[in-house]
Amino acid sequence: MNKQVNTAQTILARLGLTADVLQGGNLTVTSPVDGAELAHLAETADMDAVIARAKVAFRDWRNVPAPRRGELVRLLGEELRAAKDDLGALVSLEAGKILSEGQGEVQEMIDICDFAVGQSRMLYGLTIASERPGHRMMETWHPVGPVGVISAFNFPVAVWSWNTALALICGNPVIWKPSEKAPLSALACQVIFERAVKRFGEDAPEGLSQVVIGGADVGAAMVASKDVPVISATGSTRMGRAVGPVVAERFGRSILELGGNNAMIVAPSADLDMAVRAIVFSAVGTAGQRCTSLRRLIVHESIRTELVAKLVKAYASLPVGSPLDPATLVGPLVDMDALKNMQSALAAARVQGGVVHGGEPVTEGVPAGGAYVRPAIVDMPEQSAIVQTETFAPILYVMGYSDLDQAIEMQNAVPQGLSSCIFTLNMREAERFVSDTGSDCGIANVNIGPSGAEIGGAFGGEKETGGGRESGSDAWKAYMRRQTNTMNFSDELPLAQGVKFDI
Amino acid sequence: MNKQVNTAQTILARLGLTADVLQGGNLTVTSPVDGAELAHLAETADMDAVIARAKVAFRDWRNVPAPRRGELVRLLGEELRAAKDDLGALVSLEAGKILSEGQGEVQEMIDICDFAVGQSRMLYGLTIASERPGHRMMETWHPVGPVGVISAFNFPVAVWSWNTALALICGNPVIWKPSEKAPLSALACQVIFERAVKRFGEDAPEGLSQVVIGGADVGAAMVASKDVPVISATGSTRMGRAVGPVVAERFGRSILELGGNNAMIVAPSADLDMAVRAIVFSAVGTAGQRCTSLRRLIVHESIRTELVAKLVKAYASLPVGSPLDPATLVGPLVDMDALKNMQSALAAARVQGGVVHGGEPVTEGVPAGGAYVRPAIVDMPEQSAIVQTETFAPILYVMGYSDLDQAIEMQNAVPQGLSSCIFTLNMREAERFVSDTGSDCGIANVNIGPSGAEIGGAFGGEKETGGGRESGSDAWKAYMRRQTNTMNFSDELPLAQGVKFDI
Amino acid sequence: MNKQVNTAQTILARLGLTADVLQGGNLTVTSPVDGAELAHLAETADMDAVIARAKVAFRDWRNVPAPRRGELVRLLGEELRAAKDDLGALVSLEAGKILSEGQGEVQEMIDICDFAVGQSRMLYGLTIASERPGHRMMETWHPVGPVGVISAFNFPVAVWSWNTALALICGNPVIWKPSEKAPLSALACQVIFERAVKRFGEDAPEGLSQVVIGGADVGAAMVASKDVPVISATGSTRMGRAVGPVVAERFGRSILELGGNNAMIVAPSADLDMAVRAIVFSAVGTAGQRCTSLRRLIVHESIRTELVAKLVKAYASLPVGSPLDPATLVGPLVDMDALKNMQSALAAARVQGGVVHGGEPVTEGVPAGGAYVRPAIVDMPEQSAIVQTETFAPILYVMGYSDLDQAIEMQNAVPQGLSSCIFTLNMREAERFVSDTGSDCGIANVNIGPSGAEIGGAFGGEKETGGGRESGSDAWKAYMRRQTNTMNFSDELPLAQGVKFDI
Amino acid sequence: MNKQVNTAQTILARLGLTADVLQGGNLTVTSPVDGAELAHLAETADMDAVIARAKVAFRDWRNVPAPRRGELVRLLGEELRAAKDDLGALVSLEAGKILSEGQGEVQEMIDICDFAVGQSRMLYGLTIASERPGHRMMETWHPVGPVGVISAFNFPVAVWSWNTALALICGNPVIWKPSEKAPLSALACQVIFERAVKRFGEDAPEGLSQVVIGGADVGAAMVASKDVPVISATGSTRMGRAVGPVVAERFGRSILELGGNNAMIVAPSADLDMAVRAIVFSAVGTAGQRCTSLRRLIVHESIRTELVAKLVKAYASLPVGSPLDPATLVGPLVDMDALKNMQSALAAARVQGGVVHGGEPVTEGVPAGGAYVRPAIVDMPEQSAIVQTETFAPILYVMGYSDLDQAIEMQNAVPQGLSSCIFTLNMREAERFVSDTGSDCGIANVNIGPSGAEIGGAFGGEKETGGGRESGSDAWKAYMRRQTNTMNFSDELPLAQGVKFDI
């Protein structure tokens, strides 16, 4: 125990988080690993000042040419490479994910930086053919202003970087409100960012990236402010349902990344060994606390018994324990509430006819003070109410299907629309799944699980997932304003659509 | 008078609107031309049935290949060409715009059809380089479901066509709630649409396009329905502020086209003759009732006196009268309320120091029963409260500036962000105006007025204008859902970001 | 017999080809249907004048806004719709393809017109982020000048339309040298084009589209001329090998669409019934005289015997006869030389170990004077020299394979690189085939044959196929010149890459 | 003298070029600075082996996922950053350009690496709407094979990096034949590349980048080889005229970057001080030996006298001398032949009526052994033959114009089409210059000189400049092959264009 706390302090120190920052406030940060208190942080008191600083920073930063802005992001990428081990470990410590996943999350930050650097010389608008002689049309993209980022505990650093790497090259400052459960990772990122700024030089205005610490109030101030034109919020559907209308009412823009209830269809032709591995990783990774975690398994009846048996066997042998132990595959839930929610869901599932395998709390061989459980598989008679609900825990509901239409209908019959996949070797099924009448999710994969997206694609989902997109493709456009320009360089004034109006 | 009503009936008949449709209901439609009652329409009673019909239509229409859907839009374009004169005249009759503008509006419908036909063989998504061997990534676009269109009286047909041409090729049915002040144009469009459907054949499901008649209730039912994933609403900021949060709360998508308060900067180097013509058309066209109407003139002090004198002179000679008279340039306001609002605004302007030229009601030489006014120029000492408010009437506020930074700041210092322009022959000023630190509007032009966009560009604005985009560029994406796909065709299961998770 | 000639004259008359055009020259046009002489055309004598006319037309046409140019193409599409039956019949008469294919070819013309009309409001260039403050970068596309089109007998009208619809909207005149074997279809297209021009009005300059009649000399003059910056040539590899260097030597641009030697891989999981139908159409359609005709069948050994048996049976029952008879599926070869070449190829195949099924000339039940044959299937022991050669006739070589790597290697082991396909229901095989290590052709399909592309995709191939692309995607760029623009609107003069040079 | 050679050896050593590489061969490398012999290199003997190695490397490299390939380029960028000073100095030493320009050239290498890294996660193809139910269309881009790069002495390293950064991420090996006058810079780049490879690890196959040393024979072997599908050649028009047809004849692809004859139009409204600075840098930088060097000045008659006077004065004071001296702005010509050519051109200009200012050889205050000259301004009566010829030396021809049409016509009336610019503050003139009827060059700038492009735009030119494009925009496509895919996942087999063919 002691040993580990020491390690935490060492990591925090190497990440530049010194005692004066870590102590003296009222927000207690505990590690899900063992419930140890890592810090007591002061909450941000003056949101107005923060927003004002961002507003001032914006007026300077938008004047810095985008490729030069990209240079700052390149340096950020370098600093992240240098801090990868420590930051990854802090993520494990604060969010409870296993070491490899903590490292992977930092790698994702690095990847998005690389991507954004290239993008900083693009930010392509269009030149467009005009119907009028002597006129030139184009569509240009301009910086939009401060971007507010609200992130959740389960991806305590990557989500910030997705937004920030793009927001920065697009010419915008960022204000980040991390989860109250994972503020240390945020503070560490801020230190890393400032290292990059220092190397970058004076073109970067003060207040280009700010972290605000606190609870719902802090976030609400940002969400309500007209001076924060873009709010990128990751969290529960409940949160999004509150944030979206407030931002809409003030004509701001929301990028919402909310709940998922992600399914896999396993077809008769699936490579079952591969499917099993994909299922276990995507259902159990991050202890089932990814927004893209696999929660529903829709299996062809012909292979259902076999597949469930394999899964039950695989689950039984999964090493549950401290995420800091390299042998562990299943770390703790984020806190005891999460454990309670999981148990309630399993109870509901039983009432609704489910047969539960696993799911019990684990107390032996694990650090005391953490919410450890064995992941659960629940064989369900149908897609009942509890299955349609996202429970942020490692519960995998299994249901059968007999033809693909039915399976796709089941996949789509939940309110969320984030991620989905099919395992099949049949090209007709594979293509059908990604067609107009296939999955209705923002992500639809074939022969890989629903989680673990690459940064090159747009990330996000439909329906109650909120509709936002981050990361790759043209997600950068959400951080800019679009302008349509017509330049008349003739000495005539023709009207569009042939309208005549001669005075 | 009688003669004209006859004409109206003839037009309506040629557009297929027969007495049984036009009479017997409670919604009275009057012409702004002379206040004549054109029809008494029945209101749509059962919105649930309408939405249900659209939902069923969607399941079929999304299966029709997009280029084939484009063929329906091509036929719609042909039918619009055939009906152009009549439909344009009906627009003049019902919305009060002059004949040339009525024709121009129909031409815009035709243009968007042509554009959408080509687009129906594109709807380009992306293939994307994947970081994993044996994996293929792509981004695809899929039909999203029924699209609700709410339109305003001032563009009673074009706005529908912008949305519908794109929605149709994208695979979606449309439900259209036109303004209560211009429902006949909508019914005529529906007839024209059905002519196209008839030629197209049975691939077009019933209920692909529906018009609903009525007031706020009818619109509200559509806005609140989860089964209408996209709401495209054109109207006042007030309306948008009500619609946006409702749609956001149910995780729908809004395309908002709200108020504008559009400015022109006239620089010392401007071609003044050209500027005068542009100002008059954009301030006075459609009697100042376009969302893109010019409302604010920001003139360099060195030319202010000269320019105002020229404008006052030009305004004095503008022919005000029946829009059905080809010699008319200024038709009526939409109704007497509009006239009252205009007079109130002028009164307020006077209080705030403005010197008003024109603006008085016109009763001679115009049809009785219409709200005719002489357009107003108001010389203002500063950009006071009334100037920052959109009054839907032909009022042009004039203010001076001494350097371009100041002029741009004034241009941006209103809550709306639709359209803007500069008249200058100086390339530095021109480029500055369309740069990152120039106009903050969705449209920014050089040497043409703020109104009269071509359909090839994206149309819409920022801030209280609502942020939506319609028509050209990639506006079609708002009518589809985006999906990121990764296809693993290898027999390995590598995780992104190098994560290891071996069971 | 007589009846048919009458029909020909009727069709020609309806297409506006009158006796004064059709008679009096030295170029005899015969129908492959029965060898009847359809016309004796005068050859174009003064190529300099033709090119000069195009050059003058260019200076005007490039000034017409692209969407207006699109309107001409829209009218062309309308005229093609009106003339579809006649033009399709003329194609059958002159090229010998069956009626349905003649109609289909005209439909393709119509499709590309629709596509080009939409494209005429796009022609998108890019705006690009600049590294220098106060600088704006963009990439614009401009008209390039007269486009020379050389087409082959087998697609006597579609190829012209692909090039012309795009060239026209891009702002360029076209000079068309059709095959000596199919000049009447070209003259008919010219008449149809002129009908469109007449409706379009005076914006279209004289000489916007010209047809030149004659042999190699006529083509050579165009190919060598600096005033024809783009040469789009469809035909044999031998022709392309002559044209390419000439154009390169004068720094012109070539769009080459040359020979194909297209293969289908049939995997064990293939839907065999579907494969059989696809094979027969793609190998036998247009009597095997498409550049995309299927020529090589690479079948998994496990199904080879069964598949060959089915094909032999299907081939035996194919109705060979006059293409003007709606019951016919196999029309004549283009001339007796083609028949001789086919027989030589079959002889060579026998020598190289092939077992030939069918392939014999057909003289009964067919019009005298035509080169009718029964399509041939040749079971080959390996992919020998004759298989690697394109013979423009309905010969299908069949070879076996045992694993997919080998099959793909065989597919790629010919000098041509136009089209290819695989029939498989296995998604790994399907994806592999279209991956970086799959087919090396410009077209690679899954579960459809190699021929019959939609106009929405880019059409063309690699290696000896010449590398050109026509029709959809961004093929239009080949008809424009690209320009990179940087606009400095600051009052500073920074150098890129931070270079210092202070005088 | 001695001192400098020492410096050279030090630089070479730090760049990893040891005596065994530098000595013992027959190709003598001399420095334009002072004619000192820097090395005697062995020529590449076995081109077949080189090409074979590249071919093998290709088969592996194309299998490495593009973002992973990007990681190699990122490391290359890091190594270039580390070696920037030395490599820049070597460029100065071997090509004679001043230190700042040598550094700038390396910076350009770094920039393209950053750009390519981002691009490696894009390489976007398209998904395309299909006209057939149950079909999916897309356009994908695949590696194409070894890329041969031929570079010139004047950009001895940047051109390689433009091609190589893109070729590598696109999946292709590179074979580089540098100029015989600047092979050391190439060998240094190879060392730097190998440093990156070493860090990258074993995914990079041997032979991924190879440098070949020698003269025309070595280049010719590469140009003629079917196994080098892409040839990117930078140099004279004469060279391109030889290379292009050879590559065309074997159906390879050429990226030609040939001669320029770049003009600036100076309009009456131009900011003259800015123009003077731009002119001097672009005409005199790299001693007038850039392909984008300014060679023609087309000045409005009203300001001609004033501008010429300013230029003559500025030229007179330009510090000519060793490029290794930081105070120098004008370094040596590449060799004595270049100096002779310059003198011949000046003589011809005099014969054609030109008045020459400057242009004389400089022998005092400069290192012995170098070809130093004072840059020349030549006032010409018209655009005579010598003006239409590219002389690779600092000669600036000045001509007058009276209206813009005439000026643009003069700008376009040369056989080359690389770069061009206008200095004007008039937006109509600026826009006209970049319009369809403006400059016919691949680069057209406003208020910046013709040289010094950013890597974000596509670089290259029209007409005798060869038509190739490198660097930004979608120039990467030239290093890939395009494939159109249609996937039929239905169980039907519809034909495109509605063709019927039922067996």
Side-chain angles (χ1 to χ4, degrees), chain C residues 138-157:
Chain C
M138 63 179 175
E139 174 172 283
T140 50
W141 292 89
H142 300 294
V144 72
V147 174
V149 177
I150 296 173
S151 64
F153 80 89
N154 62 333
F155 275 90
V157 295

Side-chain angles (χ1 to χ4, degrees), chain A residues 357-486:
Chain A
H357 306 269
E360 61 279 5
V362 174
T363 50
E364 307 222 342
V366 300
Y372 293 87
V373 291
R374 180 148 302 278
I377 293 170
V378 189
D379 219 325
M380 294 296 297
E382 61 179 349
Q383 191 161 278
S384 58
I386 189 66
V387 182
Q388 295 177 44
T389 309
E390 182 190 29
T391 301
F392 228 57
I395 305 176
L396 179 66
Y397 300 104
V398 184
M399 292 151 293
Y401 81 91
S402 47
D403 76 78
L404 187 61
D405 281 349
Q406 180 200 4
I408 290 174
E409 204 174 313
M410 285 172 73
Q411 140 60 31
N412 292 350
V414 295
Q416 308 87 352
L418 181 48
S419 190
S420 61
C421 61
I422 190 171
F423 269 70
T424 181
L425 296 185
N426 181 315
M427 79 78 74
R428 284 178 179 162
E429 292 184 342
E431 292 285 347
R432 170 72 201 290
F433 188 71
V434 301
S435 77
D436 287 352
T437 58
S439 164
D440 66 357
C441 289
I443 298 172
N445 296 333
V446 176
N447 295 335
I448 64 169
S451 67
E454 299 185 23
I455 63 92
F459 181 89
E462 298 299 313
K463 301 192 295 184
E464 293 197 356
T465 303
R469 289 298 186 282
E470 292 175 338
S471 194
S473 182
D474 65 353
W476 61 267
K477 290 182 180 173
Y479 305 90
M480 304 199 86
R481 61 183 172 86
R482 178 199 298 245
Q483 192 173 78
T484 304
N485 305 117
T486 308

Side-chain angles (χ1 to χ4, degrees), chain D residues 114-134:
Chain D
D114 288 354
F115 179 84
V117 172
Q119 190 61 261
S120 75
R121 286 188 180 271
M122 302 179 183
L123 300 177
Y124 294 142
L126 298 174
T127 66
I128 304 174
S130 167
E131 75 189 45
R132 289 176 278 194

Side-chain angles (χ1 to χ4, degrees), chain D residues 15 40 116 147 156 160 168 206 215 291 306 314 345 499:
Chain D
L15 288 166
H40 301 87
V147 174
W160 169 74
L168 286 178
E206 207 199 344
C291 46
E306 179 187 358
V499 170

Side-chain angles (χ1 to χ4, degrees), chain C residues 126-265:
Chain C
L126 298 174
T127 67
I128 303 174
S130 167
E131 75 189 45
R132 288 176 277 193
H135 285 58
R136 186 171 58 75
M137 276 177 76
M138 63 179 175
E139 174 172 283
T140 50
W141 292 89
H142 300 294
V144 72
V147 174
V149 177
I150 296 173
S151 64
F153 80 89
N154 62 333
F155 275 90
V157 295
V159 165
W160 169 74
S161 70
W162 290 354
N163 283 284
T164 300
L166 293 180
L168 285 177
I169 63 158
C170 291
N172 310 307
V174 174
I175 305 171
W176 181 15
K177 193 222 154 289
S179 164
E180 295 165 75
K181 296 179 184 166
L184 295 180
S185 299
L187 293 173
C189 288
Q190 181 70 9
V191 171
I192 292 167
F193 176 77
E194 278 160 14
R195 288 175 188 161
V197 163
K198 195 166 178 186
R199 290 171 59 194
F200 180 69
E202 59 186 16
D203 278 359
E206 207 199 344
L208 191 51
S209 174
Q210 300 179 78
V211 173
V212 294
I213 300 293
D217 289 358
V218 165
M222 195 160 82
V223 167
S225 171
K226 279 207 143 182
D227 290 327
V228 185
V230 180
I231 295 291
S232 175
T234 301
S236 66
T237 290
R238 194 178 51 77
M239 181 274 284
R241 206 185 294 277
V243 165
V246 173
V247 177
E249 205 272 344
R250 64 168 174 88
F251 300 112
R253 195 185 297 163
S254 295
I255 306 171
L256 299 179
E257 303 282 352
L258 311 175
N261 192 351
N262 317 291
M264 179 191 293
I265 296 172

Side-chain angles (χ1 to χ4, degrees), chain B residues 261 296 352 380 382-389 397 399:
Chain B
N261 193 350
R296 299 182 293 138
Q352 291 166 29
M380 294 297 296
E382 60 179 351
Q383 191 161 278
S384 58
I386 189 65
V387 182
Q388 296 177 44
T389 309
Y397 301 103
M399 294 151 293

Side-chain angles (χ1 to χ4, degrees), chain B residues 168-206:
Chain B
L168 285 177
I169 62 157
C170 291
N172 310 308
V174 174
I175 304 170
W176 181 15
K177 191 220 154 291
S179 164
E180 295 164 76
K181 296 177 183 167
L184 295 180
S185 300
L187 293 173
C189 287
Q190 182 70 10
V191 170
I192 292 167
F193 176 78
E194 279 161 13
R195 289 177 188 161
V197 164
K198 195 166 175 187
R199 290 171 58 194
F200 180 70
E202 58 186 17
D203 278 359
E206 208 198 341

Side-chain angles (χ1 to χ4, degrees), chain C residues 142-481:
Chain C
H142 300 294
V144 72
V147 174
V149 177
I150 296 173
S151 64
F153 80 89
N154 62 333
F155 275 90
V157 295
V159 165
W160 169 74
S161 70
W162 290 354
N163 283 284
T164 300
L166 293 180
L168 285 177
I169 63 158
C170 291
N172 310 307
V174 174
I175 305 171
W176 181 15
K177 193 222 154 289
S179 164
E180 295 165 75
K181 296 179 184 166
L184 295 180
S185 299
L187 293 173
C189 288
Q190 181 70 9
V191 171
I192 292 167
F193 176 77
E194 278 160 14
R195 288 175 188 161
V197 163
K198 195 166 178 186
R199 290 171 59 194
F200 180 69
E202 59 186 16
D203 278 359
E206 207 199 344
L208 191 51
S209 174
Q210 300 179 78
V211 173
V212 294
I213 300 293
D217 289 358
V218 165
M222 195 160 82
V223 167
S225 171
K226 279 207 143 182
D227 290 327
V228 185
V230 180
I231 295 291
S232 175
T234 301
S236 66
T237 290
R238 194 178 51 77
M239 181 274 284
R241 206 185 294 277
V243 165
V246 173
V247 177
E249 205 272 344
R250 64 168 174 88
F251 300 112
R253 195 185 297 163
S254 295
I255 306 171
L256 299 179
E257 303 282 352
L258 311 175
N261 192 351
N262 317 291
M264 179 191 293
I265 296 172
V266 186
S269 67
D271 179 327
L272 266 200
D273 281 346
M274 196 186 258
V276 167
R277 279 185 294 138
I279 292 164
V280 174
F281 170 67
S282 53
V284 164
T286 320
Q289 297 172 112
R290 292 189 173 205
C291 46
T292 54
S293 286
L294 179 64
R295 308 202 179 286
R296 298 182 293 138
L297 198 63
I298 303 170
V299 196
H300 194 268
E301 292 292 1
S302 65
I303 52 170
R304 183 176 183 174
T305 310
E306 178 187 359
L307 181 58
V308 170
K310 280 177 194 252
L311 289 172
V312 168
K313 189 176 161 202
Y315 268 49
S317 68
L318 286 169
V320 178
S322 166
L324 307 176
D325 177 348
T328 297
L329 289 180
V330 188
L333 293 178
V334 68
D335 56 22
M336 290 298 165
D337 281 351
L339 194 148
K340 274 181 221 156
N341 289 340
M342 180 179 174
Q343 299 306 320
S344 305
L346 292 177
R350 280 190 190 93
V351 169
Q352 290 166 30
V355 178
V356 177
H357 308 268
E360 62 279 5
V362 175
T363 50
E364 306 222 344
V366 300
Y372 293 87
V373 292
R374 180 149 301 279
I377 293 170
V378 189
D379 220 324
M380 295 295 297
E382 61 178 349
Q383 191 161 278
S384 58
I386 189 66
V387 181
Q388 295 178 44
T389 309
E390 182 190 30
T391 303
F392 230 57
I395 304 176
L396 178 67
Y397 301 104
V398 184
M399 292 151 293
Y401 79 90
S402 46
D403 76 79
L404 188 61
D405 281 349
Q406 180 200 5
I408 290 175
E409 204 174 313
M410 285 172 72
Q411 139 61 31
N412 292 350
V414 295
Q416 309 86 353
L418 181 49
S419 190
S420 61
C421 62
I422 189 171
F423 269 69
T424 182
L425 295 186
N426 182 315
M427 78 78 75
R428 286 179 179 160
E429 292 184 342
E431 292 283 349
R432 169 72 199 291
F433 188 70
V434 301
S435 77
D436 288 352
T437 57
S439 164
D440 66 358
C441 289
I443 299 172
N445 296 333
V446 176
N447 294 334
I448 65 169
S451 68
E454 299 184 23
I455 63 94
F459 181 89
E462 299 298 314
K463 301 193 294 183
E464 292 197 357
T465 302
R469 289 299 185 281
E470 292 176 337
S471 195
S473 182
D474 65 353
W476 61 267
K477 291 183 179 171
Y479 305 91
M480 303 199 86
R481 61 182 171 86

